[in-house]
Amino acid sequence: MCLISFDNLEIKRNSVGDNMKILNLNLVASSGIAMGAAFIPTELDLTPAKHLITHPEVDTETSAFMDARDLAISQMQKMVENAPAQRDILTAHIEIAKDGSLLQGVLDKIRNDHKNAQMSLKEVEDSLAARFEVLEDPYLRERAADVHDICSRIMANLKGIPLKMYDNMEGDTIIVARELFPSDTSQMDFSMVRGFVTELGGATSHTCIIARNVGIPAAVGQAEILKEINHGDQLIFDGEKSLLLVNPTQHKITFYKNKMAKHLKRKESLKKDMHLPTVTTDDHKVEVWANVGSINDIESAMENGADGVGLFRTEFLYMENTAFPSEEEQYEIYKKGAELCQGKPLVIRTLDIGGDKSLPYYVFPVEENPFLGWRAIRMTLSNEQEDVFKAQLRALLRASAHGNIHIMYPLVISLEEFRKATVILNKCKMELEAEGLAYNKSIPTGIMIETPASVILAEDFAKEVDFFSIGTNDLTQYVLAVDRGNDKIAALYDTYHPAVLRSIQKVIEAGHKYGKHVGMCGEFAADQMATQILLGMGLDEFSISPVDVPLIKHSIREMSLKDAQNLATNALNFGTTKEVRDFLKEEGQAKL
Ligand code: PEP
Ligand code: MG
């Protein structure tokens, strides 16, 4: 077997005379195993015809553009009905199509610069997308792809080209493309699509979001992969080992067929009891909730048997908008979320922006250390942002009349912050009272434990808040002083570090001392090697991604609290990360 390197794509070629190639996938954004024929969509020629127009043509070009745009909107509205899993994304696209900057930009170019509709559209598309492309935040940068996608649809309509690239799919299919957009995925028949592999896109691209929503594996950012695969090649996508097998041998096919059958069996058995309570073999009950970022995710959480939502990251709502969302817009979304949860808790986190997350319509101050800077509760509590904070709190309070909403504040470091937030919340309550609007008068309010300060003051906080949720993603970076996004020190970022584990233990004990519920919404809650030790430490609630809910529920049901407590006591005695990890591995946790 020899190794060939193509930039960041490493290719192993078998020397045994068969055609099989094994490609290493470097960014598997949705895991799993899949098998199918490669489907490479044909690229449409959407190059705009460019020419200047005469005065009498202005009206014809204007109405051609308006018709193409209206058609795009109605096509997308239809797709919303046919592809409900992609509703959030498509709705955001409809908003871009309706947005004044696109419309006015194109009309100005046709009327004032006398450019034809196709040329005008392309120029406005590029300048709108450029505004996103320069942003630091990777999520927002990828929103440039949304602008290109919706504009391509309008362009196709202008050129009279039907968007039908996926009509010839047959049987199990793995889509291999340069990049995939919602206008692609919404055309696909998901009864046949088994996986995605794309050359472009990052972990927050739509390809990944859709793949995770529908539960299929996806690898993105695989430069040059189209040079290695032909339409119709047989593929095996092994997301667990980050491999893509091209034209596998019969031996490999049989091996993976067996593996997939085992996975399917396990998945089916997990499904059977995913809606049941999570009780250990010695009758200790815990909650398994879900982390969500949209209404779609809440639907998925409920379908996967989550007992509640432990973290609704509202920042996506703000990031996808063109201005701070109004109280009314937010109210409708939170109300819908509360209704979907049908009485189960829905913990909604107030705006957690700043640090690595920015907004396209707001200029953040330039800071030397953004992660230690003006972010999360610090921003929303500032006088400058009080209206933004109040709009969210009023929306949350009003929505609390329709379900079991809890309010959670991010990155709290002091009692003063929690108290100040409570004063503003009370102001909102009084306003609603005066306006005769309904809300839950005893709406629970809690904090995320993400900083050493909140760990050290955990008992003081426990006397005042209704609940804690431990945010291990940030807690790890702040306890260890290791930037969570810096690849160079990625090996130092380890939640199994004894200082982080003991922080978690201290918070759980402090919460329980005052009878408060303690959950965890950081990624550590979904780490299977950590499940037993967290259970043993007394964690009340694991809040994890919706698709992981059945598995974690199942794992906990096979454990006893007593064993878990013994394991936690032993693990917490070690002084080094390695000892903790080795111990947990030896105890067989990794095999769960
Ligand atoms: C965390 O910090 O653990 C957390 C859940 O918040 P986020 O990842 O959104 O910062
Ligand atoms: Mg956080």
Side-chain angles (χ1 to χ4, degrees):
M1 187 177 287
C2 64
L3 279 177
I4 310 164
S5 217
F6 280 83
D7 292 341
N8 52 356
L9 183 75
E10 208 179 52
I11 297 167
K12 292 176 195 166
R13 209 178 284 274
N14 267 10
S15 55
V16 288
D18 55 54
N19 285 331
M20 181 170 75
K21 275 190 281 191
I22 304 175
L23 311 184
N24 276 340
L25 299 168
N26 42 43
L27 183 51
V28 174
S30 175
S31 195
I33 296 183
M35 212 181 266
F39 186 97
I40 303 179
T42 39
E43 299 226 351
L44 301 177
D45 182 9
L46 295 179
T47 322
K50 294 183 179 178
H51 58 261
L52 295 179
I53 52 173
T54 57
H55 190 67
E57 287 171 310
V58 166
D59 283 348
T60 354
E61 289 298 302
T62 303
S63 42
F65 170 71
M66 294 303 288
D67 289 350
R69 185 193 81 131
D70 292 348
L71 179 60
I73 293 172
S74 71
Q75 286 166 334
M76 286 186 289
Q77 280 163 342
K78 263 197 211 115
M79 284 184 217
V80 173
E81 289 156 28
N82 297 338
Q86 299 176 49
R87 185 182 50 210
D88 290 352
I89 292 167
L90 290 166
T91 310
H93 279 207
I94 294 171
E95 288 311 311
I96 300 174
K98 287 182 177 168
D99 192 68
S101 1
L102 176 66
L103 178 64
Q104 209 45 54
V106 175
L107 294 187
D108 283 352
K109 283 187 187 288
I110 297 177
R111 287 175 187 155
N112 305 336
D113 304 345
H114 284 192
K115 292 176 173 168
N116 70 330
Q118 293 183 24
M119 181 177 184
S120 303
L121 173 63
K122 185 66 190 145
E123 288 182 5
V124 174
E125 169 187 340
D126 289 344
S127 85
L128 284 180
R131 283 197 220 159
F132 286 100
E133 273 150 10
V134 294
L135 297 175
E136 259 187 39
D137 177 77
Y139 179 84
L140 287 178
R141 253 197 331 270
E142 277 169 16
R143 301 294 67 81
D146 294 330
V147 172
H148 288 305
D149 192 29
I150 171 62
C151 291
S152 302
R153 173 169 292 283
I154 302 175
M155 187 67 81
N157 291 342
L158 261 176
K159 292 172 76 93
I161 301 175
L163 287 176
K164 281 188 180 157
M165 288 105 81
Y166 298 91
D167 282 4
N168 303 327
M169 267 177 5
E170 267 176 29
D172 294 343
T173 298
I174 294 180
I175 311 284
V176 186
R178 213 172 108 71
E179 196 169 12
L180 291 172
F181 298 104
S183 57
D184 293 281
T185 47
S186 54
Q187 289 179 59
M188 294 173 191
D189 178 348
F190 276 93
S191 65
M192 292 189 261
V193 180
R194 300 284 170 256
F196 294 138
V197 183
T198 63
E199 290 197 333
L200 301 178
T204 47
S205 63
H206 286 314
T207 312
C208 308
I209 297 171
I210 300 290
R212 286 193 288 260
N213 278 356
V214 293
I216 57 172
V220 292
Q222 309 302 316
E224 315 264 306
I225 198 125
L226 283 167
K227 289 192 182 148
E228 292 301 322
I229 296 171
N230 296 313
H231 190 81
D233 276 349
Q234 282 306 310
L235 301 178
I236 294 177
F237 186 142
D238 181 346
E240 291 170 2
K241 295 211 170 94
S242 298
L243 296 177
L244 187 69
L245 282 66
V246 185
N247 295 323
T249 56
Q250 193 51 48
H251 173 72
K252 287 284 179 204
I253 293 175
T254 314
F255 172 81
Y256 276 101
K257 273 192 176 158
N258 289 339
K259 200 161 176 172
M260 283 166 69
K262 270 194 210 142
H263 274 231
L264 195 66
K265 210 166 151 201
R266 177 146 174 85
K267 225 170 158 183
E268 290 306 314
S269 82
L270 294 180
K271 268 191 189 161
K272 270 198 289 178
D273 53 12
M274 70 187 178
H275 290 287
L276 299 175
T278 313
V279 184
T280 60
T281 53
D282 48 357
D283 272 342
H284 173 71
K285 186 168 177 280
V286 293
E287 305 277 318
V288 181
W289 295 1
N291 293 343
V292 303
S294 66
I295 291 295
N296 265 353
D297 291 348
I298 298 181
E299 281 168 359
S300 157
M302 295 302 119
E303 280 161 20
N304 280 289
D307 308 309
V309 168
L311 169 65
F312 183 166
R313 290 184 163 98
T314 58
E315 60 268 23
F316 293 113
L317 231 140
Y318 289 73
M319 287 159 97
E320 280 162 7
N321 244 334
T322 46
F324 281 108
S326 66
E327 173 185 327
E328 211 51 39
E329 271 173 75
Q330 294 187 66
Y331 164 66
E332 289 300 333
I333 293 169
Y334 304 149
K335 174 175 170 244
K336 174 104 191 100
E339 286 167 352
L340 284 169
C341 287
Q342 297 187 342
K344 292 176 179 171
L346 168 59
V347 180
I348 304 187
R349 175 171 79 183
T350 60
L351 180 59
D352 186 1
I353 205 83
D356 61 340
K357 298 177 221 160
S358 51
L359 297 171
Y361 46 86
Y362 182 78
V363 183
F364 281 84
V366 177
E367 297 177 300
E368 261 189 41
N369 293 302
F371 269 114
L372 302 179
W374 198 60
R375 57 169 295 209
I377 189 97
R378 299 167 187 185
M379 178 187 176
T380 47
L381 282 183
S382 67
N383 290 339
E384 187 194 318
Q385 295 300 323
E386 185 163 333
D387 287 349
V388 169
F389 195 33
K390 276 182 70 185
Q392 183 169 37
L393 293 178
R394 282 178 54 103
L396 287 168
L397 284 168
R398 287 173 56 201
S400 71
H402 303 275
N404 191 1
I405 289 183
H406 295 33
I407 297 177
M408 179 158 77
Y409 304 117
L411 208 79
V412 173
I413 57 163
S414 67
L415 288 164
E416 290 94 318
E417 284 173 337
F418 178 70
R419 289 175 189 158
K420 190 169 175 196
T422 308
V423 168
I424 301 173
L425 184 71
N426 287 340
K427 240 195 243 176
C428 296
K429 286 182 178 176
M430 278 158 64
E431 283 175 12
L432 296 181
E433 204 85 53
E435 292 162 35
L437 293 170
Y439 68 93
N440 172 10
K441 294 195 170 58
S442 48
I443 185 166
T445 52
I447 59 167
M448 290 196 65
I449 300 282
E450 297 178 284
T451 62
S454 58
V455 173
I456 294 164
L457 291 178
E459 283 206 20
D460 303 80
F461 276 114
K463 293 177 199 161
E464 301 195 18
V465 305
D466 293 314
F467 63 91
F468 288 150
S469 184
I470 307 174
T472 48
N473 308 343
D474 274 321
L475 185 63
T476 306
Q477 81 164 339
Y478 294 127
V479 167
L480 303 180
V482 174
D483 183 341
R484 71 193 246 192
N486 185 339
D487 291 344
K488 205 159 174 73
I489 47 172
L492 295 179
Y493 180 93
D494 196 326
T495 309
Y496 289 97
H497 189 297
V500 185
L501 293 182
R502 291 182 206 177
S503 299
I504 295 170
Q505 181 196 31
K506 181 172 161 50
V507 172
I508 297 173
E509 282 174 4
H512 288 177
K513 183 164 171 189
Y514 292 93
K516 302 294 159 70
H517 171 99
V518 184
M520 178 179 286
C521 58
E523 291 302 312
F524 200 53
D527 183 331
Q528 283 189 72
M529 195 165 82
T531 311
Q532 196 171 8
I533 170 173
L534 291 172
L535 176 73
M537 284 194 230
L539 191 72
D540 300 307
E541 161 228 321
F542 296 69
S543 191
I544 56 183
S545 112
V547 287
D548 291 331
V549 169
L551 180 63
I552 295 292
K553 276 187 149 187
H554 185 84
S555 302
I556 296 174
R557 282 198 201 99
E558 288 179 341
M559 295 171 185
S560 89
L561 177 65
K562 200 161 171 295
D563 290 348
Q565 284 168 334
N566 287 337
L567 184 97
T569 310
N570 289 330
L572 285 161
N573 273 333
F574 294 110
T576 70
T577 311
K578 185 172 180 324
E579 284 167 322
V580 175
R581 283 187 167 276
D582 287 350
F583 169 72
L584 290 176
K585 268 187 204 140
E586 263 170 42
E587 290 292 311
Q589 299 313 301
K591 288 190 224 100
L592 279 175

